[in-house]
mmCIF file of all heavy atoms in Angstrom:
data_model
loop_
_atom_site.group_PDB
_atom_site.id
_atom_site.type_symbol
_atom_site.label_atom_id
_atom_site.label_comp_id
_atom_site.label_asym_id
_atom_site.label_seq_id
_atom_site.Cartn_x
_atom_site.Cartn_y
_atom_site.Cartn_z
ATOM 1 N N GLU A 237 -6.210 -9.208 7.547
ATOM 2 C CA GLU A 237 -7.235 -8.288 7.030
ATOM 3 C C GLU A 237 -6.839 -7.653 5.701
ATOM 4 O O GLU A 237 -7.365 -6.618 5.319
ATOM 5 C CB GLU A 237 -7.505 -7.176 8.058
ATOM 6 C CG GLU A 237 -8.034 -7.694 9.378
ATOM 7 C CD GLU A 237 -8.278 -6.589 10.392
ATOM 8 O OE1 GLU A 237 -7.731 -5.475 10.213
ATOM 9 O OE2 GLU A 237 -9.016 -6.839 11.352
ATOM 10 N N TRP A 318 -19.420 13.417 -37.299
ATOM 11 C CA TRP A 318 -18.975 14.367 -38.320
ATOM 12 C C TRP A 318 -18.774 13.697 -39.678
ATOM 13 O O TRP A 318 -19.068 14.294 -40.725
ATOM 14 C CB TRP A 318 -17.674 15.034 -37.867
ATOM 15 C CG TRP A 318 -17.900 16.050 -36.789
ATOM 16 C CD1 TRP A 318 -17.586 15.949 -35.482
ATOM 17 C CD2 TRP A 318 -18.530 17.327 -36.959
ATOM 18 N NE1 TRP A 318 -17.979 17.079 -34.798
ATOM 19 C CE2 TRP A 318 -18.552 17.942 -35.679
ATOM 20 C CE3 TRP A 318 -19.065 18.001 -38.053
ATOM 21 C CZ2 TRP A 318 -19.098 19.204 -35.475
ATOM 22 C CZ3 TRP A 318 -19.609 19.268 -37.848
ATOM 23 C CH2 TRP A 318 -19.627 19.856 -36.576
ATOM 24 N N ALA A 340 -29.128 15.601 -65.586
ATOM 25 C CA ALA A 340 -28.870 14.171 -65.736
ATOM 26 C C ALA A 340 -30.061 13.375 -65.199
ATOM 27 O O ALA A 340 -30.831 13.862 -64.362
ATOM 28 C CB ALA A 340 -27.601 13.788 -64.975
ATOM 29 N N ALA A 348 -24.690 7.766 -58.778
ATOM 30 C CA ALA A 348 -23.468 8.532 -58.541
ATOM 31 C C ALA A 348 -23.355 8.931 -57.073
ATOM 32 O O ALA A 348 -22.277 8.869 -56.465
ATOM 33 C CB ALA A 348 -23.442 9.771 -59.425
ATOM 34 N N LEU A 371 -5.411 -7.892 -31.566
ATOM 35 C CA LEU A 371 -3.970 -8.174 -31.619
ATOM 36 C C LEU A 371 -3.280 -7.630 -30.369
ATOM 37 O O LEU A 371 -2.360 -8.250 -29.832
ATOM 38 C CB LEU A 371 -3.355 -7.540 -32.873
ATOM 39 C CG LEU A 371 -3.727 -8.202 -34.212
ATOM 40 C CD1 LEU A 371 -3.248 -7.348 -35.378
ATOM 41 C CD2 LEU A 371 -3.119 -9.589 -34.295
ATOM 42 N N LYS A 378 0.957 -11.859 -23.562
ATOM 43 C CA LYS A 378 2.354 -12.294 -23.498
ATOM 44 C C LYS A 378 3.158 -11.455 -22.503
ATOM 45 O O LYS A 378 4.214 -11.874 -22.043
ATOM 46 C CB LYS A 378 2.995 -12.212 -24.886
ATOM 47 C CG LYS A 378 2.382 -13.180 -25.894
ATOM 48 C CD LYS A 378 3.000 -13.010 -27.271
ATOM 49 C CE LYS A 378 2.363 -13.963 -28.272
ATOM 50 N NZ LYS A 378 2.912 -13.782 -29.636
ATOM 51 N N THR A 403 1.448 -3.253 -1.449
ATOM 52 C CA THR A 403 1.759 -4.655 -1.184
ATOM 53 C C THR A 403 1.462 -5.534 -2.387
ATOM 54 O O THR A 403 0.340 -5.556 -2.890
ATOM 55 C CB THR A 403 0.947 -5.153 0.023
ATOM 56 O OG1 THR A 403 1.193 -4.293 1.129
ATOM 57 C CG2 THR A 403 1.344 -6.569 0.386
ATOM 58 N N LEU A 456 20.604 -18.317 14.390
ATOM 59 C CA LEU A 456 20.214 -19.601 14.964
ATOM 60 C C LEU A 456 19.034 -19.421 15.924
ATOM 61 O O LEU A 456 18.081 -20.215 15.900
ATOM 62 C CB LEU A 456 21.397 -20.237 15.703
ATOM 63 C CG LEU A 456 21.091 -21.560 16.425
ATOM 64 C CD1 LEU A 456 20.706 -22.641 15.418
ATOM 65 C CD2 LEU A 456 22.283 -21.999 17.283
ATOM 66 N N HIS A 474 8.817 -23.816 -0.505
ATOM 67 C CA HIS A 474 7.483 -23.753 0.084
ATOM 68 C C HIS A 474 7.628 -23.432 1.573
ATOM 69 O O HIS A 474 8.338 -24.129 2.305
ATOM 70 C CB HIS A 474 6.742 -25.078 -0.090
ATOM 71 C CG HIS A 474 6.498 -25.445 -1.519
ATOM 72 N ND1 HIS A 474 5.401 -25.017 -2.234
ATOM 73 C CD2 HIS A 474 7.245 -26.190 -2.381
ATOM 74 C CE1 HIS A 474 5.467 -25.485 -3.457
ATOM 75 N NE2 HIS A 474 6.575 -26.199 -3.584
ATOM 76 N N ARG A 538 9.833 -4.580 24.093
ATOM 77 C CA ARG A 538 9.494 -5.505 25.183
ATOM 78 C C ARG A 538 10.695 -6.375 25.554
ATOM 79 O O ARG A 538 10.980 -6.592 26.727
ATOM 80 C CB ARG A 538 8.328 -6.401 24.740
ATOM 81 C CG ARG A 538 7.749 -7.254 25.837
ATOM 82 C CD ARG A 538 6.915 -6.424 26.799
ATOM 83 N NE ARG A 538 6.345 -7.259 27.856
ATOM 84 C CZ ARG A 538 6.917 -7.488 29.031
ATOM 85 N NH1 ARG A 538 8.103 -6.952 29.309
ATOM 86 N NH2 ARG A 538 6.321 -8.230 29.950
ATOM 87 N N TRP A 545 22.004 -8.366 29.700
ATOM 88 C CA TRP A 545 23.279 -8.531 29.009
ATOM 89 C C TRP A 545 23.092 -8.410 27.491
ATOM 90 O O TRP A 545 21.979 -8.453 26.984
ATOM 91 C CB TRP A 545 23.895 -9.896 29.338
ATOM 92 C CG TRP A 545 23.886 -10.240 30.785
ATOM 93 C CD1 TRP A 545 22.981 -10.995 31.453
ATOM 94 C CD2 TRP A 545 24.839 -9.813 31.760
ATOM 95 N NE1 TRP A 545 23.284 -11.097 32.780
ATOM 96 C CE2 TRP A 545 24.444 -10.370 33.006
ATOM 97 C CE3 TRP A 545 26.015 -9.021 31.721
ATOM 98 C CZ2 TRP A 545 25.144 -10.167 34.184
ATOM 99 C CZ3 TRP A 545 26.720 -8.835 32.893
ATOM 100 C CH2 TRP A 545 26.288 -9.386 34.104
ATOM 101 N N ALA A 554 27.461 -6.119 29.759
ATOM 102 C CA ALA A 554 26.314 -5.334 30.208
ATOM 103 C C ALA A 554 25.637 -4.666 29.013
ATOM 104 O O ALA A 554 26.309 -4.151 28.102
ATOM 105 C CB ALA A 554 26.766 -4.286 31.221
ATOM 106 N N TRP A 560 20.839 0.184 21.561
ATOM 107 C CA TRP A 560 19.781 -0.622 20.951
ATOM 108 C C TRP A 560 18.553 0.218 20.601
ATOM 109 O O TRP A 560 17.968 0.046 19.532
ATOM 110 C CB TRP A 560 19.379 -1.761 21.887
ATOM 111 C CG TRP A 560 20.438 -2.811 22.018
ATOM 112 C CD1 TRP A 560 21.222 -3.047 23.108
ATOM 113 C CD2 TRP A 560 20.851 -3.740 21.014
ATOM 114 N NE1 TRP A 560 22.100 -4.075 22.864
ATOM 115 C CE2 TRP A 560 21.893 -4.523 21.572
ATOM 116 C CE3 TRP A 560 20.460 -3.988 19.705
ATOM 117 C CZ2 TRP A 560 22.526 -5.533 20.868
ATOM 118 C CZ3 TRP A 560 21.096 -4.997 18.985
ATOM 119 C CH2 TRP A 560 22.113 -5.756 19.567
ATOM 120 N N VAL A 575 12.382 -6.967 14.767
ATOM 121 C CA VAL A 575 12.192 -8.145 15.614
ATOM 122 C C VAL A 575 13.484 -8.384 16.388
ATOM 123 O O VAL A 575 14.573 -8.415 15.808
ATOM 124 C CB VAL A 575 11.835 -9.390 14.776
ATOM 125 C CG1 VAL A 575 11.778 -10.629 15.657
ATOM 126 C CG2 VAL A 575 10.509 -9.179 14.063
ATOM 127 N N MET A 600 20.829 -10.193 25.141
ATOM 128 C CA MET A 600 20.369 -9.646 23.859
ATOM 129 C C MET A 600 21.312 -10.105 22.742
ATOM 130 O O MET A 600 22.520 -9.830 22.768
ATOM 131 C CB MET A 600 20.348 -8.116 23.924
ATOM 132 C CG MET A 600 19.838 -7.461 22.668
ATOM 133 S SD MET A 600 18.078 -7.740 22.425
ATOM 134 C CE MET A 600 17.777 -6.635 21.040
ATOM 135 N N ALA A 614 10.032 -2.717 -10.571
ATOM 136 C CA ALA A 614 9.071 -1.650 -10.268
ATOM 137 C C ALA A 614 9.782 -0.307 -10.194
ATOM 138 O O ALA A 614 9.218 0.725 -10.586
ATOM 139 C CB ALA A 614 8.348 -1.944 -8.959
ATOM 140 N N VAL A 628 2.451 8.799 -10.770
ATOM 141 C CA VAL A 628 2.281 7.559 -10.012
ATOM 142 C C VAL A 628 1.937 7.923 -8.571
ATOM 143 O O VAL A 628 2.668 8.688 -7.929
ATOM 144 C CB VAL A 628 3.556 6.691 -10.032
ATOM 145 C CG1 VAL A 628 3.324 5.395 -9.267
ATOM 146 C CG2 VAL A 628 3.964 6.383 -11.470
ATOM 147 N N VAL A 675 -0.199 15.681 -3.607
ATOM 148 C CA VAL A 675 0.255 14.577 -2.765
ATOM 149 C C VAL A 675 0.262 13.281 -3.567
ATOM 150 O O VAL A 675 -0.661 13.022 -4.342
ATOM 151 C CB VAL A 675 -0.655 14.427 -1.519
ATOM 152 C CG1 VAL A 675 -0.187 13.276 -0.647
ATOM 153 C CG2 VAL A 675 -0.676 15.725 -0.721
ATOM 154 N N VAL A 700 -7.365 7.594 -15.289
ATOM 155 C CA VAL A 700 -6.854 6.897 -14.113
ATOM 156 C C VAL A 700 -6.775 5.389 -14.345
ATOM 157 O O VAL A 700 -7.742 4.763 -14.790
ATOM 158 C CB VAL A 700 -7.737 7.174 -12.882
ATOM 159 C CG1 VAL A 700 -7.184 6.459 -11.647
ATOM 160 C CG2 VAL A 700 -7.841 8.672 -12.624
ATOM 161 N N VAL A 737 -6.272 -8.020 -15.769
ATOM 162 C CA VAL A 737 -5.764 -8.834 -14.657
ATOM 163 C C VAL A 737 -4.300 -9.172 -14.943
ATOM 164 O O VAL A 737 -3.979 -9.685 -16.021
ATOM 165 C CB VAL A 737 -6.583 -10.126 -14.485
ATOM 166 C CG1 VAL A 737 -5.997 -10.974 -13.358
ATOM 167 C CG2 VAL A 737 -8.045 -9.808 -14.196
ATOM 168 N N ASP A 740 1.270 -11.749 -13.079
ATOM 169 C CA ASP A 740 2.473 -11.791 -12.246
ATOM 170 C C ASP A 740 2.452 -10.760 -11.121
ATOM 171 O O ASP A 740 3.440 -10.609 -10.404
ATOM 172 C CB ASP A 740 3.728 -11.586 -13.103
ATOM 173 C CG ASP A 740 3.730 -10.239 -13.821
ATOM 174 O OD1 ASP A 740 2.690 -9.545 -13.787
ATOM 175 O OD2 ASP A 740 4.766 -9.877 -14.404
ATOM 176 N N ALA A 749 2.083 -2.681 -20.403
ATOM 177 C CA ALA A 749 0.743 -2.593 -20.985
ATOM 178 C C ALA A 749 0.452 -1.184 -21.484
ATOM 179 O O ALA A 749 -0.217 -0.997 -22.510
ATOM 180 C CB ALA A 749 -0.312 -3.014 -19.957
ATOM 181 N N GLY A 753 -0.528 -0.141 -25.148
ATOM 182 C CA GLY A 753 -1.723 0.665 -25.409
ATOM 183 C C GLY A 753 -1.427 1.862 -26.291
ATOM 184 O O GLY A 753 -2.214 2.212 -27.178
ATOM 185 N N SER A 826 -4.353 14.185 -24.229
ATOM 186 C CA SER A 826 -5.484 14.749 -23.493
ATOM 187 C C SER A 826 -6.733 13.913 -23.749
ATOM 188 O O SER A 826 -6.970 13.462 -24.878
ATOM 189 C CB SER A 826 -5.735 16.194 -23.940
ATOM 190 O OG SER A 826 -6.978 16.662 -23.463
ATOM 191 N N THR A 840 -5.537 14.233 -45.068
ATOM 192 C CA THR A 840 -6.644 13.700 -45.873
ATOM 193 C C THR A 840 -6.820 14.510 -47.152
ATOM 194 O O THR A 840 -6.898 13.955 -48.257
ATOM 195 C CB THR A 840 -7.951 13.714 -45.054
ATOM 196 O OG1 THR A 840 -7.804 12.860 -43.917
ATOM 197 C CG2 THR A 840 -9.123 13.225 -45.898
ATOM 198 N N VAL A 872 -7.252 3.476 -64.252
ATOM 199 C CA VAL A 872 -7.498 4.367 -63.115
ATOM 200 C C VAL A 872 -7.615 3.575 -61.811
ATOM 201 O O VAL A 872 -7.064 3.956 -60.772
ATOM 202 C CB VAL A 872 -8.776 5.199 -63.364
ATOM 203 C CG1 VAL A 872 -9.263 5.826 -62.070
ATOM 204 C CG2 VAL A 872 -8.516 6.265 -64.405
ATOM 205 N N ILE A 873 -8.338 2.443 -61.849
ATOM 206 C CA ILE A 873 -8.503 1.627 -60.636
ATOM 207 C C ILE A 873 -7.157 1.102 -60.167
ATOM 208 O O ILE A 873 -6.833 1.136 -58.973
ATOM 209 C CB ILE A 873 -9.476 0.461 -60.900
ATOM 210 C CG1 ILE A 873 -10.875 0.989 -61.200
ATOM 211 C CG2 ILE A 873 -9.526 -0.476 -59.700
ATOM 212 C CD1 ILE A 873 -11.807 -0.051 -61.757
ATOM 213 N N GLY A 892 7.818 10.116 -38.389
ATOM 214 C CA GLY A 892 9.161 9.842 -38.871
ATOM 215 C C GLY A 892 9.199 9.433 -40.331
ATOM 216 O O GLY A 892 8.183 9.059 -40.928
ATOM 217 N N GLY A 934 -8.083 -5.881 -70.145
ATOM 218 C CA GLY A 934 -6.637 -5.984 -70.032
ATOM 219 C C GLY A 934 -5.932 -4.717 -70.479
ATOM 220 O O GLY A 934 -6.410 -3.987 -71.353
#
Side-chain angles (χ1 to χ4, degrees):
E237 298 179 342
W318 286 107
L371 289 171
K378 295 177 181 178
T403 305
L456 177 64
H474 297 273
R538 189 74 179 92
W545 313 96
W560 290 108
V575 174
M600 182 69 171
V628 182
V675 180
V700 181
V737 178
D740 61 351
S826 167
T840 298
V872 164
I873 295 167

